[in-house]
Amino acid sequence: MWVRLAVGLCCLVLGCQGQGRTASLRKANDDFTGRCQYTFTVDSPAESSCPQAGAGGPEDEGVRTRLTLLEALVSRLMGERGGVVGEAGLRTAEEEEEVEEEEVGQLQQDKERLSRQVQDLQRRLEELTLETEQLRQRPCHQPQPPRLSTPDNDPAFQLGSGAFQEMKAELSEVPAPPQIQQGQNQAITSTKAQTTSSFTGCGVLVSVQPPVTHRKADSITGKYGAWFQDPEPLGQPYGPKTVWRIDAVGKEVKQLFAYEDMEQLIRGFPMKVLPLPEAVESTGATVYRGSLYYQRRLSRMLIRYDVATESVAARMDLPHAGFHGQHPYSWGGYTDIDLAVDERGLWAIYSTSKAKGAIVIAKLDPESLEVTKTWETNIRKNTVANGFMVCGRLYTVASYSLPNTTISYMFDTDTNQSSAISIPFHNRYHYNSMIDYNPGNKKLYAWDNYHMVTYDVKLAQSDSIP
Ligand code: CA
């Protein structure tokens, strides 16, 4: 190749010299492109008489031909001198590498900036979520009549947001119960009962009136709870008008609120807040003969708390009773042990492993809490919403949430038999967590989704009673 180039260049130079002209070839580096630059120069024989551009002529034509040949040679030479071109190419690669490094650095910075933005957004999202939760737990302000005090004045509403007790509520409703032990049980119907409007004695339950709302809890701790009036109070300082209330949402429920009467409950000022020595489990408590009876949290222990002396008067394990979610009512809420009072005394409604989830009824000594007698029913505890005793009979409500449900079972401790019944019952606020009977005024006390309500009931003498 170098031979051909040399020959070509010699021919050109000789050709030029043969015509009385001189030619030269220069090689230099182009600082801008990094490439080798070759310059071929031919002297004009008579510079002053150079033809005008485009005039042409044999002499110019020859020069052009030689230039073309030279360009071709230079092009080939540059193609073969990869080292020179390669050198320029290497620099370009380095520059490209530098550019790439700069771009990578820039992208890395962008990534770090975006990461910080994501972290800021996540932090903001968490703040908004917390704020939303706090707003959700804050009850809507209810307009109060001028004579009423604001809930802010009620210590019952100063418990903070509290924590929800774990719930095991069934989402599906319990279907209407089938007949139980056909042929063995007696279905109590209103046609069998001899209803009289003036009947005040013990009898069968024949109807439940629509609920009367007395108070709505304003705090989340009052979503469910228990409230009562003592059917057989012992006297001062608490009488038959005293209203007792426990807001049952929270891990450590240890406050018993005492209101002088219903009016004070409505106004929102408790006359006293009694601190309980042991935490209350759920909504199964009751008040009877001057004592609060309740299940101690996380145990099967029953506690009798004397409200006058504000001390524990008795404590006793309820033998074999399931607790803390083993055998709750259908809505959950650790309603394993439900205490009840009726005309005959104090009862416990619960279940055991031996009973395999069927309701067991225990008659309790109200002084010592000892079990005096038990009955095992064939009513599955977790298929009913709640239970209460009236005149020695257990009644269970089918649904805690359906507005129009029924009292669907009755178990008679006298005959040891259960019956399927159907007495309309109204869950006005769709989340009834406590229902108890007060034999003193023959009303049902219930806690329905923040609302404390009562139901008037009608009893009737029945020919089924021996
Ligand atoms: Ca109950």
Side-chain angles (χ1 to χ4, degrees):
M1 174 52 62
W2 284 105
V3 175
R4 288 201 301 268
L5 176 62
V7 171
L9 291 174
C10 288
C11 290
L12 286 169
V13 171
L14 289 173
C16 292
Q17 288 176 342
Q19 297 179 23
R21 304 162 195 166
T22 59
S24 62
L25 179 65
R26 290 183 183 175
K27 184 180 79 171
N29 287 329
D30 188 329
D31 294 333
F32 294 101
T33 63
R35 295 168 180 257
C36 280
Q37 189 178 53
Y38 293 86
T39 307
F40 181 70
T41 307
V42 178
D43 294 338
S44 171
E47 195 169 327
S48 59
S49 60
C50 277
Q52 297 294 319
E59 189 176 80
D60 292 339
E61 191 63 32
V63 171
R64 285 196 193 93
T65 303
R66 291 186 183 94
L67 279 172
T68 303
L69 286 171
L70 187 57
E71 286 172 0
L73 284 170
V74 168
S75 176
R76 290 174 62 182
L77 180 62
M78 292 180 66
E80 293 182 4
R81 292 195 63 189
V84 176
V85 177
E87 188 177 346
L90 283 174
R91 285 198 294 269
T92 302
E94 288 172 359
E95 291 173 353
E96 288 177 357
E97 192 173 334
E98 290 177 0
V99 170
E100 287 179 4
E101 288 177 357
E102 289 179 3
E103 290 177 351
V104 169
Q106 185 63 41
L107 289 172
Q108 189 66 29
Q109 290 178 0
D110 290 344
K111 180 185 175 184
E112 291 173 356
R113 179 172 51 80
L114 290 171
S115 296
R116 286 194 296 273
Q117 290 180 355
V118 168
Q119 289 175 354
D120 290 342
L121 289 171
Q122 286 178 337
R123 193 158 47 242
R124 182 62 184 147
L125 178 62
E126 289 173 359
E127 291 172 354
L128 288 172
T129 303
L130 184 62
E131 193 174 334
T132 303
E133 187 61 26
Q134 289 173 343
L135 287 173
R136 187 175 296 155
Q137 291 185 1
R138 187 181 305 166
C140 295
H141 176 70
Q142 297 295 314
Q144 299 279 351
R147 66 186 179 84
L148 297 180
S149 301
T150 64
D152 294 337
N153 296 323
D154 186 350
F157 306 121
Q158 306 300 318
L159 302 177
S161 58
F164 266 114
Q165 197 167 310
E166 286 185 43
M167 302 292 286
K168 289 180 63 181
E170 303 288 341
L171 294 178
S172 58
E173 291 298 336
V174 179
Q179 293 291 319
I180 306 172
Q181 294 185 359
Q182 294 291 338
Q184 294 184 17
N185 303 316
Q186 289 176 292
I188 307 301
T189 65
S190 59
T191 56
K192 275 191 170 183
Q194 299 171 359
T195 307
T196 60
S197 57
S198 60
F199 179 75
T200 56
C202 240
V204 294
L205 180 68
V206 291
S207 69
V208 178
Q209 300 303 304
V212 176
T213 303
H214 299 273
R215 171 82 200 194
K216 180 184 179 184
D218 293 81
S219 164
I220 184 65
T221 57
K223 177 173 174 58
Y224 48 91
W227 75 301
F228 354 78
Q229 287 181 298
D230 193 337
E232 297 183 29
L234 298 181
Q236 296 300 325
Y238 307 112
K241 291 185 176 179
T242 304
V243 179
W244 302 95
R245 165 183 172 180
I246 297 172
D247 289 8
V249 178
K251 290 183 178 177
E252 289 289 321
V253 179
K254 300 177 81 170
Q255 286 181 307
L256 174 65
F257 298 97
Y259 299 86
E260 193 173 337
D261 50 27
M262 284 286 189
E263 286 70 30
Q264 194 179 59
L265 175 76
I266 293 170
R267 287 197 300 272
F269 289 102
M271 61 187 291
K272 193 162 189 178
V273 182
L274 287 71
L276 298 173
E278 308 275 1
V280 177
E281 180 97 312
S282 198
T283 61
T286 193
V287 169
Y288 182 56
R289 292 183 181 173
S291 291
L292 170 75
Y293 295 85
Y294 69 96
Q295 175 198 350
R296 192 183 73 173
R297 183 170 177 265
L298 287 170
S299 76
R300 57 173 60 94
M301 178 175 286
L302 304 181
I303 290 178
R304 177 190 161 210
Y305 176 79
D306 189 310
V307 294
T309 62
E310 299 184 22
S311 60
V312 174
R315 60 175 70 215
M316 183 76 69
D317 273 352
L318 183 59
H320 312 297
F323 61 93
H324 206 64
Q326 289 179 298
H327 302 296
Y329 287 129
S330 58
W331 75 273
Y334 301 147
T335 49
D336 299 68
I337 298 176
D338 188 11
L339 297 167
V341 173
D342 72 354
E343 292 81 352
R344 299 187 182 183
L346 182 65
W347 307 80
I349 305 164
Y350 61 106
S351 186
T352 64
S353 299
K354 181 172 172 288
K356 298 177 181 176
I359 287 178
V360 176
I361 303 169
K363 188 76 168 47
L364 303 177
D365 182 326
E367 290 292 323
S368 65
L369 293 171
E370 288 181 346
V371 174
T372 56
K373 189 175 181 181
T374 62
W375 295 259
E376 186 173 321
T377 75
N378 53 3
I379 304 167
R380 309 292 301 176
K381 190 162 182 292
N382 63 4
T383 64
V384 299
N386 216 302
F388 56 90
M389 300 293 295
V390 179
C391 296
R393 298 182 180 84
L394 167 73
Y395 295 89
T396 62
V397 179
S399 170
Y400 63 90
S401 59
L402 285 179
N404 297 305
T405 184
T406 58
I407 295 169
S408 53
Y409 289 125
M410 185 271 283
F411 181 89
D412 191 335
T413 57
D414 285 335
T415 63
N416 205 28
Q417 291 182 343
S418 58
S419 306
I421 58 177
S422 182
I423 299 174
F425 187 90
H426 187 51
N427 292 313
R428 176 172 291 167
Y429 303 104
H430 311 164
Y431 202 93
N432 213 330
S433 57
M434 166 254 172
I435 304 171
D436 255 350
Y437 174 64
N438 183 331
N441 56 16
K442 298 198 184 309
K443 292 179 187 288
L444 295 178
Y445 287 61
W447 194 295
D448 189 357
N449 206 3
Y450 295 96
H451 295 84
M452 284 149 264
V453 301
T454 55
Y455 301 76
D456 284 325
V457 302
K458 284 187 178 177
L459 307 181
Q461 195 171 16
S462 170
D463 56 7
S464 66
I465 299 174

